[in-house]
Amino acid sequence: MSTAIDITDLHVTIGGSHILQGVSLQVASGEVVALLGRNGVGKTTTLRALMGLVPRSGAVRVGDQDVTRWPPHRIARLGVAYVPEDRDVFSALTVGENLRLAEQVAAPNYDGVYELFPELRQRTRQRAGTLSGGQQQMVAVARALLNEWPVLVVDEPSKGLAPRLVSELTDVLARVSATTTMLVVEQNLAVVRRLAQRVVVLDHGVVVHLGPVADLEDAGLMRQLLGVSA
Amino acid sequence: MSARRGSLVLGGVLVALLALVPLAGWHIPWVLPSTVNVLNATGTLEVLALCFIFAGVALGYDVLFGYTGLLSLGPVTFFGTGVYVFDIALTRWGWSLAAALAATLVVTLVLALVLGAIALRVGGIAFAMVTLAFAQAFYYLVEDNPHNLTGGDTGLALASSRLPGLLSGAVSNTRSLYWLALVYLVLVGAVVRVVLNSATGRVLVAVRENEQRVEVLGLRPFGFKLVAFTLSSLVAAGGGIVYILLIGTAVPSAVASITLTLSILVMVVLGGPGSAWGPVVGAFVYVYLQQYLLKVAAEPSFASLPAVARVPLSQPQFLLGALFVLFVLFVPGGFAGAVARARARRASRRPAAPAIRGDT
Amino acid sequence: MTVLADLTFSAVALSAVYFLAASGLSLIYGLMDVLNFAHGLFMTLGAYAAWDLTTHLTSTLSAPLNFAVGVVAAILAGAVVAGLTELWLIRPLYGRPISQILVTIGLDLAAVGLLLGGFGSNSLSMPVPLWLFEATHWGSLNLPNADFVALIAGVVVLVGLEWFLRRTRYGIIIRAGVENRDMVRALGVDVGRAFTLVFVLGGAMAGLAGLLNSVVFSGDLVSPLQGDGLLIFAFIVVVIGGLGSIRGSAVAALLVGVVQDFSNYYLGTHPGMAEIGNLSVVLLLAVVLEWRPRGLFGGTL
């Protein structure tokens, strides 16, 4: 099995704080890996560094390309779709404009996206800033699925959503994972269990645990790593 | 510790040498900015005195820009306040020297606190814009010549009758004005050093690096920024006072226009923002080049040059602007940054990253 | 009543020029965080390009045609110089906003110095159709034709800009970039091209503003410092309107134009108050910022 994402000894320093201190992790093609850890340990920064959105050192490879020095738009065009944290949609743009902005291939799959999120079809002319939190998250995920890219990077899809929406969204991501490599940051362990095959746990900017998703059932280990009971 | 003592000794020697310049009647062809090629000629001393004045103003401005990380576009407001309040008090109202000095100090202090408190409500670019707007308001005000106080466009000449003989504008007094300007620069250098080496100075740098972290420590950045703003304003006003004593006439386009603000900014960036001596070097280079280029353009042979060479060379503003662009592009951190990099290279350590802090 | 109407009309014409100057600045700032001091230069160069062509190359054409050549020249000069500025000076300094501001300051100083050396500091007169200096009479109203030209230019640009920003892909990229540049990049869009584009657009509008400023408000004169004078007011308009907002710029331009013209007319004749119009504009800025630190329309396009 080939490697889709290969991060080696990743360091990030922002505003004088050494946030990532040598993170290494791999995601194989077709695999779903969940990135776990307490708040503020560097999960979001890892994803942003992968996308080229923060200055970084170390090595980042996507497929067979070394993208460490690439700008974000070239990394994305390799086929890496990104759903940022806090359902970061363009609030001044309409839903339709948000999707149009994301078009990068000749035939974007609008039908597929609207099939997954029928609600968005009626709302294409509505300003994204006036949507509910759940609808905004749908726009953010739809934007990432439009080009049917092989790799999907998702930052806390369930954060702040009502339980019903979380399960709807998890269903969608589960369907997508059948054909897509995924690296997902998630605090909701039920979501992680449904999606991921492997987990990577970060603490204070370094990887402290790598293992199969079954490790979540080791309550003692999880309490030690995440400070929660699984 | 010894490095600091070393630079203090070096600075002391330099100041002593500069203090002796008015006594040295050496003939030096070509390099001097005045038309007479004698070191202690009036023209040369005047240009050097201008260098001292703007070096002081640039040092004060750098407390705000280089150390605290605030891009103000309004230092000219306070330089102009120093010039005009002092000039008006002496010339229009006939006050004594001491009264005029006190009035200038009080007006500057109040103005700096009030305008600073308003402008510092916003940060970043908005702060630059607000300070620029205040500076323009000041410019319009002095141009308007309210109650016939400022003389408007024609300017306001300083009446020297209330000044002690040594400082009155006569040409023979250029020497004492030269020393006065040197004293001003040394004084500013000392005050700025003391403040920056104090606990307050360390908080200012912390504000530049990360304002939130300062707040987390329970300190209010606003108060510290206001201190930096006020200090740099007082320094600028002091420079204005020495300037009007030296030059003798206040004209809005020279002492209150945005051109002067930009000049000060150019001096600091050429020399190296946030460094102990960078702004001084920047001011010397700027003032000297400006005056020297004017001298070159006035040479009789200059008119015979082809237009391609004559037009750019006749405009100090063009050459200084172009130099400035080159420095911003290729010499981050100005002279001080270049020296720091050269030293780091010699010590074969990784190059330090001075440039303009907070410029990311 | 007629005085009021005449005054309002000329204030709106002034606002149109402010809008042309400010909207480009606002887009550039909104998208790139660059406070572009060279915008004054783009205006001045627009006026000089028009002056040079209309007095030398095409002076034998009929007056209206010659003026049309001037308008095109002004727009092209502004656009080309602005585009090159972005590519050669701004692009190498991406990620260093303060250096970007400084480099535009240096460019403005250097280029204006060159203009002063080449053309002298005196104003030069440009050939324009005499029709521009006549007025159209509507009942008791006397509306100067030059003001009409400025007003029409302002409205055409406002409508065109709104269309561009809402209907084209690059317009959407620019609006999205003003909100969150990084996220646009992460969607696979090369924002760098949009950067060059806003400079070209802003430069084109600035060139036109410079020419109109000469024709409408300076009695057909061009001078090396005209753009820098206009720039200060354009900055004020941008800050009042909200950095990055086109509608904000339009509303703020109206506000500034009206305040300036009215206070000049009613107060400016008193002794020692010749600059009252300019002073009131600065006062207006202070009031707006105290009330809304992010400007009237801060943060939306």
Side-chain angles (χ1 to χ4, degrees), chain A residues 89-168:
Chain A
V89 294
F90 299 101
S91 57
L93 270 55
T94 64
V95 171
E97 287 170 339
N98 264 282
L99 294 178
R100 190 172 163 200
L101 189 66
E103 289 178 17
Q104 287 294 334
V105 292
N109 184 9
Y110 276 98
D111 290 339
V113 163
Y114 286 140
E115 192 205 321
L116 292 172
F117 303 110
E119 229 182 309
L120 296 183
R121 197 192 287 273
Q122 292 102 46
R123 297 187 183 273
T124 50
R125 294 173 150 271
Q126 188 174 342
R127 268 181 47 156
T130 62
L131 296 170
S132 72
Q135 290 161 341
Q136 288 185 351
Q137 187 63 285
M138 289 178 199
V139 173
V141 173
R143 222 167 41 180
L145 299 182
L146 201 57
N147 299 310
E148 300 179 282
W149 275 341
V151 179
L152 183 61
V153 175
V154 193
D155 200 346
E156 291 213 44
S158 75
K159 188 176 172 188
L161 297 187
R164 185 182 58 82
L165 285 168
V166 171
S167 76
E168 264 183 52

Side-chain angles (χ1 to χ4, degrees), chain C residues 55-71:
Chain C
T55 37
H56 297 118
L57 211 58
T58 59
S59 58
T60 50
L61 295 175
S62 69
L65 203 57
N66 198 21
F67 183 65
V69 168
V71 170

Side-chain angles (χ1 to χ4, degrees), chain C residues 7-23 147 150-152 154-155 158 217 233-234 236-238 240-241 245-263 277 280-281 284 288 296-297:
Chain C
L7 202 56
T8 308
F9 190 67
S10 72
V12 171
L14 178 63
S15 305
V17 174
Y18 284 162
F19 170 73
L20 288 175
S23 50
D147 288 3
L151 184 57
I152 290 167
V155 170
L158 174 60
F217 301 107
F233 293 102
I236 292 176
V237 167
V238 171
I240 289 180
S245 164
I246 292 299
R247 287 172 193 182
S249 290
V251 172
L254 272 177
L255 207 59
V256 168
V258 167
V259 166
Q260 194 172 22
D261 248 18
F262 274 67
S263 44
S280 349
V281 169
L284 178 71
V288 169
L296 297 178
F297 289 68

Side-chain angles (χ1 to χ4, degrees), chain C residues 12-69:
Chain C
V12 171
L14 178 63
S15 305
V17 174
Y18 284 162
F19 170 73
L20 288 175
S23 50
L25 268 180
S26 188
L27 272 186
I28 290 170
Y29 182 83
L31 185 65
M32 308 170 64
D33 294 337
V34 175
L35 187 64
N36 181 28
F37 268 81
H39 221 69
L41 171 69
F42 302 161
M43 295 189 241
T44 309
L45 284 177
Y48 269 88
W51 171 84
D52 202 22
L53 238 62
T54 53
T55 37
H56 297 118
L57 211 58
T58 59
S59 58
T60 50
L61 295 175
S62 69
L65 203 57
N66 198 21
F67 183 65
V69 168

Side-chain angles (χ1 to χ4, degrees), chain B residues 152-166:
Chain B
D153 264 338
T154 39
L156 178 62
L158 183 69
S160 46
S161 55
R162 303 300 309 249
L163 292 173
L166 269 178

